């Protein structure tokens, strides 16, 4: 099926430029800038002839009715929110390519048997509420009252945030899809790594999405004057935090040659009093662990703290751990992987199987339906950074494979 690559690229560039001007490429969920992008997207959905609207969780849907209303819909899309300074193509490629597929079908007069739904999931990236994949959690029935009560630093709760973007938090249960409610979900995404580019392969077929665990670790010492407190008498919380960071790095590095290696990151540290002339009395760190090995992900933090506790106690430091979230690894469906492989082969595009080291909405969507993911290369593997970049041809290749995959699934699924 032909797609309009120029239109696809123009839309990608237009949406990416809806950004905080002082910090490109930033369009954070639950902000006026995000709503500006959503308003533009909804207009594009309607202009493409799609039945357009928000569900109760604030997910944006565009619907292209199929010929057989008894068949379950096929769902394609991704997300339009970004991390700070890093979302030029991450997420939006999947949304814009899905829109292009649906519009091209309509323009050709080609009607699928299944209804095709294009989705922009709300807040896939970690939000200021400390939660990611908010819209897809709701679709899976995994967005709880406790989640809705989470508050960001300015006091807004997630319940308020969903209402802010046009959702209906009091009706959140209506956004849930039953386990047999959708025929398949397929998402096109940039790889966010270097495998495809290094091997000069245009299409990646995702085998599984890694598990991700996040924990909040608080190291408590004693705040003192930095000049008047002798070194042997200090209880410096940041020294303890540094030991945690170093030990986590070494432990994760040791798994590099494993069949399912593990990565561990302390990406956020808050220090108090955070003054040049004060010994830190408290350090709050966020530990994130990722791997396809579920047991290793679950055990990493506990093992790290168990082994370091004597060292921290010798430094007169106390340590507390609070789990934030845990998502198990998710396999992509064999049938969808085959459809992607056959689609790419029919277009003369080489493929490679590979896991996704990043989290995606598909982790939650998989609780209700089979999922598949298509990767295209990104420049030097850069993502979540201003340098994130792809070419029009790479975007076009991904959209063509997505379109052909949809056609094959439509023909083969009941």
């Amino acid at each position: 099926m032909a797609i309009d690559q120029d239109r696809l690229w123009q839309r990608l560039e237009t949406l990416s430029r809806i950004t905080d001007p002082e910090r490109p490429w930033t369009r954070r969920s639950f902000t006026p800038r995000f709503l500006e992008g959503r308003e533009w997207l909804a207009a594009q959905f309607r202009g493409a002839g799609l039945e357009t609207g928000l569900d109760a969780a604030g997910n944006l849907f565009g619907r292209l009715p199929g010929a057989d209303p008894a068949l379950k819909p096929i769902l394609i899309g991704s997300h339009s929110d970004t991390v700070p300074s890093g979302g030029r193509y991450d997420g939006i490629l999947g949304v814009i390519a899905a829109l292009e597929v649906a519009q091209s079908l309509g323009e050709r007069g080609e009607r699928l048997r299944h209804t095709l739904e294009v989705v922009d999931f709300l807040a896939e990236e970690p939000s200021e509420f400390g939660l990611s994949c908010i819209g897809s959690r709701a679709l899976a029935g995994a967005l709880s009252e406790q989640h809705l009560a989470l508050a960001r630093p300015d006091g807004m709760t997630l319940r308020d945030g969903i209402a802010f973007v046009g959702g209906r938090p009091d009706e959140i249960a209506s956004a849930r899809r039953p386990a047999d409610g959708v025929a398949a979900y397929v998402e096109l995404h940039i790889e966010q790594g270097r495998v495809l580019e290094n091997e000069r392969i245009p299409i990646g077929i995702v085998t599984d999405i890694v598990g991700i665990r996040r924990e909040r670790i608080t190291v408590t010492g004693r705040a003192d004057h930095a000049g008047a407190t002798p070194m042997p008498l200090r209880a410096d919380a940041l020294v303890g935090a540094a030991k945690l960071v170093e030990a986590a790095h070494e432990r994760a590095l040791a798994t590099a040659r494993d069949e399912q290696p593990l990565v561990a990151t302390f990406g956020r540290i808050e220090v108090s009093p955070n003054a040049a002339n004060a010994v830190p009395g408290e350090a709050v760190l966020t530990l994130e662990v990722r791997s396809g090995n579920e047991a290793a992900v679950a055990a990493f933090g506990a093992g790290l703290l168990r082994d370091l506790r004597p060292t921290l106690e010798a430094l007169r430091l106390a340590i507390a751990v609070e789990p934030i979230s845990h998502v198990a690894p998710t396999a992509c469906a064999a049938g969808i992987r085959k459809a992607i492989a056959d689609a790419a082969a029919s277009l003369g595009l080489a493929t490679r199987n590979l896991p996704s080291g990043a989290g995606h909405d598909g982790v939650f969507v998989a609780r209700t339906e089979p999922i598949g993911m298509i990767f295209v290369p990104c420049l030097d593997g850069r993502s979540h950074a201003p340098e994130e970049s792809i070419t029009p041809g790479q975007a076009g290749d991904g959209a063509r494979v997505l379109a052909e995959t949809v056609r094959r699934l439509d023909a083969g699924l009941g």
Side-chain angles (χ1 to χ4, degrees):
M1 187 184 85
I3 59 106
D4 188 334
Q5 182 172 300
D6 291 339
R7 179 172 61 194
L8 169 70
W9 188 254
Q10 182 180 34
R11 280 175 168 157
L12 282 170
E13 292 299 283
T14 300
L15 181 54
S16 71
R17 289 192 174 98
I18 301 176
T19 178
D20 291 346
E22 70 281 1
R23 192 172 51 168
W25 310 88
T26 301
R27 194 172 46 260
R28 298 289 286 153
S29 54
F30 306 105
T31 66
R33 196 70 65 185
F34 174 75
L35 291 183
E36 183 182 348
R38 266 294 182 79
E39 183 179 356
W40 180 86
L41 262 179
Q44 295 298 304
F45 281 21
R46 290 190 294 268
L50 305 183
E51 300 172 0
T52 303
L54 292 176
D55 70 4
N59 296 312
L60 176 65
F61 283 92
R63 189 170 181 270
L64 185 68
D68 188 346
L71 294 177
K72 296 177 289 186
I74 295 172
L75 186 61
I76 56 176
S78 190
H79 64 95
S80 65
D81 67 311
T82 78
V83 298
S85 305
R88 191 168 187 181
Y89 303 106
D90 174 359
I92 74 169
L93 172 62
V95 177
I96 298 300
L99 169 61
E100 178 58 37
V101 170
Q103 185 169 357
S104 294
L105 284 166
E107 290 172 344
R108 289 167 57 89
E110 184 174 348
R111 193 173 188 189
L112 300 178
R113 296 164 58 238
H114 297 75
T115 291
L116 184 65
E117 293 186 345
V118 177
V119 61
D120 171 28
F121 283 116
L122 176 65
E124 188 267 359
E125 302 291 3
S127 66
E128 299 304 317
F129 299 102
L131 195 68
S132 59
C133 298
I134 289 170
S136 53
R137 286 176 192 265
L139 181 137
L143 193 66
S144 67
E145 284 297 323
Q146 289 79 11
H147 290 143
L148 293 175
L150 292 170
R152 68 186 192 187
D154 66 359
M156 175 187 274
T157 66
L158 179 54
R159 179 182 295 275
D160 296 335
I162 290 174
F164 173 77
V165 301
R168 304 179 302 281
D170 292 337
E171 304 171 28
I172 206 75
S174 68
R176 181 177 184 177
R177 299 289 181 101
D180 60 350
V182 177
Y185 171 68
V186 187
E187 178 174 349
L188 172 64
H189 206 280
I190 61 172
E191 182 194 349
Q192 301 179 282
R194 305 175 190 174
V195 174
L196 296 177
E197 182 182 60
N198 286 353
E199 298 184 9
R200 299 183 179 180
I201 295 176
I203 298 295
I205 303 173
V206 178
T207 57
D208 58 273
I209 303 170
V210 297
I212 304 176
R213 181 177 179 86
R214 296 189 180 112
E215 296 172 312
R216 185 177 293 107
I217 301 175
T218 302
V219 181
T220 304
R222 174 173 144 168
D224 280 306
H225 193 288
T229 308
M231 298 299 291
L233 301 181
R234 296 186 180 200
D236 189 327
L238 191 55
V239 172
K243 292 186 179 296
L244 286 169
V245 172
E246 182 178 21
H249 174 78
E250 294 298 328
R251 285 167 178 254
L253 189 63
T255 74
R257 296 185 181 276
D258 292 355
E259 182 178 344
Q260 293 178 310
L262 177 148
V263 295
T265 308
F266 281 106
R268 180 176 183 139
I269 301 177
E270 301 172 38
V271 180
S272 176
N274 199 27
N277 60 350
V279 175
E282 182 181 82
V284 181
L285 304 85
T286 301
L287 170 64
E288 181 188 88
V289 182
R290 302 185 184 216
S291 177
N293 184 333
E294 167 70 354
V297 168
F300 186 87
L304 177 70
L305 297 180
R306 180 188 63 244
D307 292 348
L308 276 185
R309 193 174 294 276
T311 299
L312 298 177
E313 289 177 349
L315 294 169
R316 294 177 291 279
L317 302 173
I319 191 164
V321 184
E322 176 188 0
I324 298 174
S325 62
H326 184 110
V327 179
T330 301
C332 292
I336 299 180
R337 288 168 54 188
K338 184 178 187 305
I340 296 169
D342 291 345
S346 73
L347 296 167
L349 296 170
T351 62
R352 185 197 197 282
N353 292 332
L354 75 170
S356 172
H360 300 282
D361 286 306
V363 168
F364 290 96
V365 180
R367 300 184 184 186
T368 67
E369 64 208 68
I371 69 162
M373 289 195 70
I374 303 164
F375 276 173
V376 294
C378 53
L379 182 63
D380 198 30
R382 300 298 300 277
S383 184
H384 286 192
E387 295 81 9
E388 182 178 283
S389 182
I390 62 174
T391 67
Q394 289 166 337
D397 284 345
R400 281 184 281 272
V401 173
L402 176 63
E404 184 60 26
T405 299
V406 166
R407 292 180 68 181
R408 290 170 182 269
L409 291 174
D410 180 60
L413 294 173

